[in-house]
Amino acid sequence: MTDAQAQLIAKAEQKLGAKALITDPKEVEPWVTDWRGRVHGAAPAMLAPASTDEVVEIVRLAAEHRVPLVPQGGNTGMAAGATPPADGSALLLSMRRMNRIRSISADNRLAVAEAGVVLATLHEAAHEAGMRFPLTLGARGSCTIGGLTSTNAGGTQVLKFGTMRSLVAGVEAVLPDGSVHNGLSGLKKDNRGYSLDQLLIGAEGTLGVITAVALRLVPAVAARAVAWAGVKSPLQALELLRFLEERTNNIEGFELVPQDSLDLVLRHIPNTRAPLSGGHSWHVLVEATTAGAATDIAAEVEQLLACALQQGLIGDAVIAANEAQAEALWKIRDSISEAERAEGQTLAHDISVAVPDMPAFIVDAAAKVERAFPGVIASGFGHLGDGNIHFHVRAGNHAAPGWYEREGAEITRMVDDLVTAAGGSISAEHGIGQLKISELERLAPPGRIQALRAIKQALDPLGIMNPGKLVRI
Amino acid sequence: MTDAQAQLIAKAEQKLGAKALITDPKEVEPWVTDWRGRVHGAAPAMLAPASTDEVVEIVRLAAEHRVPLVPQGGNTGMAAGATPPADGSALLLSMRRMNRIRSISADNRLAVAEAGVVLATLHEAAHEAGMRFPLTLGARGSCTIGGLTSTNAGGTQVLKFGTMRSLVAGVEAVLPDGSVHNGLSGLKKDNRGYSLDQLLIGAEGTLGVITAVALRLVPAVAARAVAWAGVKSPLQALELLRFLEERTNNIEGFELVPQDSLDLVLRHIPNTRAPLSGGHSWHVLVEATTAGAATDIAAEVEQLLACALQQGLIGDAVIAANEAQAEALWKIRDSISEAERAEGQTLAHDISVAVPDMPAFIVDAAAKVERAFPGVIASGFGHLGDGNIHFHVRAGNHAAPGWYEREGAEITRMVDDLVTAAGGSISAEHGIGQLKISELERLAPPGRIQALRAIKQALDPLGIMNPGKLVRI
């Protein structure tokens, strides 16, 4: 521990009490490695404020002593954006004690949740208020509102409701100078200069610490229908989506699953079974919901899929007859990453291209990667309707210690080059963090990197807010 | 003209040709005064680029010669944000020659329009493609996409579709260093660092010149119903909105009109007549639309209003029987400002508070202003469902030369204080420009002003992009 860190910690203990300070290495240890277990950091202590005022105190101390802070929520990020540097130079700033839902209003369709509120907790609170917070993803039981906002998270319902950027009505944050930005007013229209709310969304804690977020709610789901269909190709899957969207506004989930991913799930995940009897090269999971009682959503989906079958758009389909069957279909989709890990080394790429370009991209990129690295297995699954695919490459017969670092890095560069050439993004919904920072610097236009650096330097001149993430000065 | 300006102009003529340069004072003159005719500026020349490359040339020359640029679209702004300074130190940068719609796709629900495309032109192009760009406002025949984006414009359909911030999928802009930010890829998910798109939306040309915008389209309107209802109070108007929104998703316009404003329109605007026969203290204009043929929208609105009448939520109502009648109702709403100008001196305040607080705010603030300045007439009209009211104060028997500058400034400070105390915004949809910059500096938290200045300084260190607007360094 440096002298500066020791001084900061002593003052923080004096001002905030022992509760706000965790120095026992055993208690700190679970939080210094990223969720995927790939990046190992170190931190001599973790600060755990319980209020915005306490965050202000901590940020002021960090500025005074020039000690960097690494804000962290549920530590479920995919780009190691909340993992401290390995040299122990930074302190962890855990937001999990700020876990109050400050208000929830069905009339205003707004909830104000502190940064440390777990997503599943917000889901429950919205449900109890007769409303719904529609964003959801696999880590819902651990990930926090602050982390979701700081990474502009997406998930499986983006098709209808957008990413966090669409669902955040305002942000409260402590800026690096210790001032509090309060964007929680719930104003629908506010044109008083540059949007600090929008700047903080997706900034990965590098411009300030998000302490609370005003979130848009939507009417509760009255009923949902979940279906599984077999298709010939990603292109046919997209045609099915267009077909459905032309006929109903109720589609909110549309996930692409290759047969290969389904096979892995069936092999490694207990209590799973193939939804369809025949063989299909590709599959889609369709979710439709309705907020009103007037629509028989299951009948609507059944009729649409019957029509799609008749037109040859799908090879077969099944509709969940009850919630347990619906959950079983979602379990297949949500278990793909876990099944891949059980199978062996897998390289993950969270990428996007324009929606109409995605079917060809998946097929072409997989073929190119498999040709360049014979023996690896490449495929894409996920949010086809958002143009966002998790393009994963399994080591196959290349599996070996150090594969990630050596050949994996080469494969990633190839994928990122292909994505960039297609006008896409090397980070669709996971952010840049530590893991993608070099690739961002390599591939982004120099003017963009220059602008990001200028903004970072302007708002955090001392470099105390999550340095080394997203943008390097 | 300064030497630096003369040098810039000579080089611009050489590089871009005579078409891109307007120096005849008679041709420049109409563009140096703001739309309301209140702020008079001066500019020795107007630059009129025809392409993004030409904007790059101009911005580079401006940086080289340290000559500020004032970007301008249709010159319909309400805060004099596109009016050059009176000392002639800046050059006008007219974007009107960049008026191409680069692409329009019903499949992707996207249009890419250059900055100088007039809103009404985009409306027509979207209509021809079987789609719709839903944002609209009174100045639609003159205002441009670049100006709408730079001011994060709102208008009358925000209730359902949001402001420009919700409808812009990406921005192309020339940054102050001459680099081009290209956000037109149409990616639905892209988490590669701070959102420059969002930073440029509402930046009023102070961080760069927006050259083109990717805009979200929605399905074309199959049918609309426009109705007019008389209510007792703004609170009852809001109750009516809640009543309607609980029963249908089709409401997209909900405008509040006080009897006083209606009287002014009937007095000063030819070919207008009162929609309802009886007297009502307040009125609302309701617009509902449907994109599908399945809904009989007129019948739906008629039934809902009949039910509201029965429950005592409204005093009376009429539904337009055809498009001509619908246009006649909208004409009343859209003519209020013009009628006020015909009546005499009027002070305009574009303000917002949280939606549930607005009914009480309108009534209280009007009473307070009329008590403090006996003889003036205060009232609010407009976008009740957005919490955004145009709170106008007519001089009444105070009318006199210089009233705006003297008593008007006092009244504005009082209104802005009341709005700020209510947690609202002194600029809901018009921006800050020149007219509100002192009030913003007076009322915003110092940390916010400091952050805005830091961002401006970081991205435009030479101060060439619309200096003196929105934020003063």
Side-chain angles (χ1 to χ4, degrees):
Chain A
M1 193 181 301
T2 65
D3 286 355
Q5 288 175 334
Q7 286 166 24
L8 185 158
I9 287 170
K11 286 187 195 170
E13 184 159 18
Q14 198 182 350
K15 288 191 174 180
L16 311 180
K19 265 192 172 174
L21 201 61
I22 296 128
T23 50
D24 181 345
K26 272 186 209 143
E27 285 184 62
V28 175
E29 198 271 330
W31 305 102
V32 298
T33 295
D34 81 312
W35 183 76
R36 282 185 172 145
R38 299 264 301 276
V39 181
H40 304 282
M46 182 155 76
L47 298 154
S51 69
T52 304
D53 286 348
E54 291 192 0
V55 177
V56 169
E57 290 289 354
I58 290 168
V59 170
R60 284 191 185 145
L61 289 173
E64 183 188 339
H65 294 283
R66 305 288 197 274
V67 173
L69 300 171
V70 178
Q72 190 183 76
N75 195 27
T76 60
M78 303 295 249
T83 309
D87 63 6
S89 58
L91 298 178
L92 269 174
L93 178 62
S94 170
M95 300 304 290
R96 278 179 299 279
R97 283 181 69 214
M98 287 194 66
N99 59 2
R100 254 185 349 119
I101 293 175
R102 293 188 189 164
S103 66
I104 195 158
S105 161
D107 268 3
N108 301 335
R109 299 189 173 187
L110 273 187
V112 175
E114 290 184 343
V117 170
V118 168
L119 178 57
T121 308
L122 179 71
H123 284 161
E124 286 160 25
H127 186 72
E128 278 167 29
M131 299 295 287
R132 173 188 183 205
F133 181 65
L135 185 136
T136 190
L137 39 72
R140 70 185 76 89
S142 315
C143 65
T144 63
I145 296 302
L148 291 164
T149 307
S150 289
T151 57
N152 183 28
T156 51
Q157 322 299 107
V158 170
L159 190 63
K160 186 156 179 183
F161 298 104
T163 64
M164 283 299 282
R165 199 177 288 289
S166 303
L167 293 167
V168 169
V171 164
E172 178 191 87
V174 179
L175 302 182
D177 66 359
S179 66
V180 177
H181 164 67
N182 183 346
L184 300 181
S185 59
L187 299 178
K188 286 192 172 182
K189 287 181 173 174
D190 185 7
N191 275 351
R192 287 177 291 177
Y194 316 141
S195 174
L196 297 184
D197 290 333
Q198 291 293 335
L199 197 55
L200 289 159
I201 297 169
E204 303 184 17
T206 63
L207 300 179
V209 184
I210 291 178
T211 48
V213 185
L215 297 154
R216 299 199 169 95
L217 304 178
V218 300
V221 170
R224 73 165 175 172
V226 177
W228 190 278
V231 292
K232 283 183 199 157
S233 64
L235 182 61
Q236 200 177 45
L238 186 60
E239 285 167 357
L240 173 63
L241 177 61
R242 298 293 192 216
F243 172 89
L244 295 172
E245 286 189 327
E246 276 167 21
R247 287 157 180 82
T248 175
N249 287 320
N250 295 326
I251 305 299
E252 68 170 68
F254 194 89
E255 298 286 309
L256 181 72
V257 179
Q259 178 67 39
D260 173 67
S261 295
L262 176 59
D263 288 339
L264 288 184
V265 169
L266 300 179
R267 189 179 313 153
H268 294 288
I269 310 295
N271 304 317
T272 52
R273 60 180 205 85
L276 302 173
S277 51
H280 302 276
S281 307
W282 295 82
H283 304 256
V284 290
L285 187 160
V286 180
E287 178 164 279
T289 66
T290 175
T295 309
D296 182 343
I297 194 76
E300 180 178 87
V301 171
E302 191 166 357
Q303 191 191 353
L304 287 171
L305 289 178
C307 185
L309 187 67
Q310 206 172 22
Q311 294 189 20
L313 266 176
I314 58 176
D316 194 4
V318 61
I319 300 183
N322 51 45
E323 270 299 299
Q325 286 183 15
E327 284 300 316
L329 294 178
W330 269 111
K331 188 183 176 183
I332 294 172
R333 160 64 186 89
D334 285 341
S335 303
I336 295 174
S337 289
E338 191 185 336
E340 285 177 340
R341 274 195 300 275
E343 178 77 5
Q345 289 175 305
T346 303
L347 206 58
H349 306 96
D350 161 50
I351 54 116
S352 64
V353 299
V355 177
D357 301 338
M358 185 48 97
F361 181 87
I362 296 175
V363 175
D364 294 351
K368 279 176 180 155
V369 168
E370 292 181 353
R371 206 177 313 134
F373 301 89
V376 305
I377 301 118
S379 70
F381 67 91
H383 324 302
L384 185 67
D386 308 326
N388 171 206
I389 285 293
H390 300 301
F391 188 86
H392 287 195
V393 181
R394 289 190 280 128
N397 60 21
H398 294 228
W403 177 74
Y404 284 119
E405 291 71 21
R406 289 193 308 275
E407 192 170 272
E410 276 181 66
I411 294 172
T412 294
R413 277 194 297 276
M414 183 177 177
V415 172
D416 289 347
D417 284 340
L418 290 169
V419 169
T420 304
S425 171
I426 63 165
S427 179
E429 59 176 2
H430 291 168
I432 297 300
Q434 302 179 48
L435 294 181
K436 293 193 172 185
I437 200 163
S438 296
E439 284 293 85
L440 180 68
E441 289 170 351
R442 183 172 76 84
L443 293 166
R448 173 165 179 81
I449 296 292
Q450 171 55 31
L452 300 188
R453 284 182 179 150
I455 294 166
K456 166 72 176 175
Q457 184 75 41
L459 293 180
D460 181 24
L462 303 176
I464 55 169
M465 294 310 314
N466 211 7
K469 314 290 167 58
L470 197 153
V471 57
R472 283 188 278 227
I473 299 293
Chain B
M1 193 182 300
T2 65
D3 285 354
Q5 287 174 335
Q7 286 166 25
L8 185 157
I9 288 170
K11 287 187 194 170
E13 185 160 16
Q14 199 183 350
K15 289 190 173 182
L16 313 179
K19 264 193 173 175
L21 200 63
I22 295 129
T23 50
D24 180 346
K26 272 186 205 142
E27 286 184 60
V28 176
E29 199 271 326
W31 305 102
V32 297
T33 296
D34 79 312
W35 184 77
R36 280 185 172 144
R38 299 266 300 277
V39 180
H40 304 283
M46 182 155 76
L47 297 155
S51 69
T52 303
D53 286 347
E54 292 193 0
V55 176
V56 169
E57 289 290 355
I58 291 168
V59 169
R60 283 191 184 144
L61 288 172
E64 183 188 338
H65 295 283
R66 306 287 198 273
V67 173
L69 301 172
V70 178
Q72 190 183 78
N75 195 27
T76 59
M78 302 295 248
T83 309
D87 63 7
S89 58
L91 298 179
L92 269 174
L93 178 62
S94 170
M95 300 304 290
R96 277 177 301 280
R97 283 181 70 214
M98 286 193 67
N99 59 2
R100 251 181 355 116
I101 295 174
R102 292 189 191 164
S103 66
I104 193 157
S105 162
D107 268 2
N108 300 336
R109 299 190 175 185
L110 273 187
V112 175
E114 290 184 342
V117 170
V118 167
L119 178 57
T121 307
L122 179 71
H123 285 160
E124 285 158 28
H127 185 73
E128 278 166 30
M131 299 296 287
R132 173 186 182 208
F133 181 66
L135 186 136
T136 189
L137 38 72
R140 72 185 75 89
S142 315
C143 65
T144 63
I145 296 304
L148 291 164
T149 307
S150 289
T151 57
N152 183 26
T156 51
Q157 322 299 109
V158 171
L159 188 64
K160 186 155 179 185
F161 298 103
T163 65
M164 284 298 284
R165 199 177 288 288
S166 303
L167 292 167
V168 169
V171 165
E172 178 191 89
V174 179
L175 302 182
D177 66 359
S179 66
V180 176
H181 164 67
N182 184 347
L184 301 180
S185 59
L187 299 178
K188 286 191 171 183
K189 287 180 173 175
D190 185 8
N191 276 352
R192 286 177 292 177
Y194 316 141
S195 173
L196 297 184
D197 290 333
Q198 291 292 334
L199 196 56
L200 289 159
I201 297 169
E204 303 184 16
T206 63
L207 300 180
V209 183
I210 291 178
T211 48
V213 185
L215 298 154
R216 299 198 169 96
L217 304 179
V218 300
V221 170
R224 73 166 175 171
V226 177
W228 190 278
V231 293
K232 283 183 197 154
S233 64
L235 182 60
Q236 202 177 45
L238 186 59
E239 286 166 357
L240 173 63
L241 177 62
R242 298 292 193 217
F243 172 89
L244 295 171
E245 285 189 328
E246 277 167 20
R247 287 160 180 80
T248 175
N249 287 321
N250 296 326
I251 305 298
E252 68 169 67
F254 194 89
E255 297 287 308
L256 181 72
V257 179
Q259 178 67 39
D260 174 65
S261 295
L262 176 59
D263 288 341
L264 288 184
V265 169
L266 300 180
R267 190 179 310 153
H268 294 288
I269 308 296
N271 304 320
T272 52
R273 61 182 203 83
L276 303 173
S277 50
H280 302 275
S281 307
W282 295 83
H283 305 256
V284 289
L285 187 161
V286 180
E287 178 163 279
T289 65
T290 175
T295 310
D296 182 342
I297 193 77
E300 181 178 85
V301 171
E302 189 165 358
Q303 190 192 355
L304 287 170
L305 288 178
C307 185
L309 187 68
Q310 206 172 23
Q311 294 189 21
L313 266 177
I314 58 175
D316 195 4
V318 61
I319 299 182
N322 50 47
E323 270 300 298
Q325 286 183 15
E327 283 302 314
L329 295 178
W330 268 112
K331 187 181 175 183
I332 294 172
R333 161 62 186 90
D334 284 340
S335 302
I336 295 174
S337 290
E338 191 186 336
E340 285 177 341
R341 275 196 300 275
E343 178 78 7
Q345 289 174 305
T346 303
L347 207 58
H349 306 95
D350 160 50
I351 53 115
S352 65
V353 299
V355 177
D357 300 338
M358 185 48 96
F361 182 88
I362 296 174
V363 175
D364 293 352
K368 279 175 180 154
V369 167
E370 291 182 353
R371 206 177 312 134
F373 301 89
V376 305
I377 301 117
S379 71
F381 67 91
H383 324 301
L384 184 67
D386 308 325
N388 170 207
I389 284 293
H390 301 300
F391 188 85
H392 286 194
V393 181
R394 288 191 280 129
N397 62 22
H398 294 228
W403 178 74
Y404 284 118
E405 291 71 22
R406 290 192 308 274
E407 194 171 87
E410 277 181 65
I411 294 171
T412 294
R413 278 194 296 276
M414 182 176 179
V415 172
D416 288 347
D417 284 341
L418 290 168
V419 169
T420 304
S425 171
I426 63 166
S427 181
E429 59 176 1
H430 291 169
I432 297 299
Q434 300 180 47
L435 295 180
K436 293 193 171 183
I437 199 162
S438 296
E439 284 293 85
L440 180 68
E441 289 171 351
R442 184 171 76 84
L443 293 166
R448 174 166 178 79
I449 297 291
Q450 171 56 30
L452 299 188
R453 284 182 181 150
I455 294 166
K456 166 71 175 174
Q457 184 77 42
L459 293 180
D460 181 25
L462 302 176
I464 56 168
M465 294 310 314
N466 212 6
K469 313 290 166 58
L470 198 156
V471 58
R472 282 187 279 228
I473 299 293

